[in-house]
Amino acid sequence: AAVRKAGLTLPDVEATTRYDGSPILRLGGVFMAGLASHASAEVGTLVVRMAVEERDVLVEEAPETYYVTDHYRPHPVVLVRLLHIDQAALPDLLSTAWRMAAVKARYRGRAKRPP
């Protein structure tokens, strides 16, 4: 609920569901964040779009909160243990995902320029 609330404060974000029925946030049809569904992720994990370089820094600085598995490693995402994330960090994390999704959505012609 906190992820959805924080995500919906960002421009043009929609809360929807993935093919398996799990909740996700999208911008212009581009994935931003959602619950991890792959078996390699821990229960209660959020997948958030993030540049690989930024992800690596987060994982190194706070491995109790952020991690990546072999399945997710090739993708520009970070895995977030929802029980460990500081709620104050959530809006910044989703803003980062929004910026990355906006670039891809603009490339596809589905989103406005960021404010």
Side-chain angles (χ1 to χ4, degrees), residues 34-72:
L35 293 177
S37 59
H38 191 266
S40 67
E42 298 172 16
V43 173
T45 293
L46 184 68
V47 181
V48 179
R49 183 176 289 277
M50 165 108 14
V52 171
E53 299 81 17
E54 291 179 75
R55 170 187 75 197
D56 293 345
V57 171
L58 287 175
V59 170
E60 184 176 326
E61 290 179 353
E64 68 286 348
T65 302
Y66 305 101
Y67 71 106
V68 65
T69 66
D70 288 342
H71 173 77
Y72 289 98

Side-chain angles (χ1 to χ4, degrees), residues 7-27:
L8 290 176
T9 65
L10 298 165
D12 302 320
V13 171
E14 65 175 331
T16 186
T17 55
R18 191 171 29 219
Y19 63 91
D20 63 2
S22 60
I24 61 171
L25 297 173
R26 287 189 179 159
L27 170 64

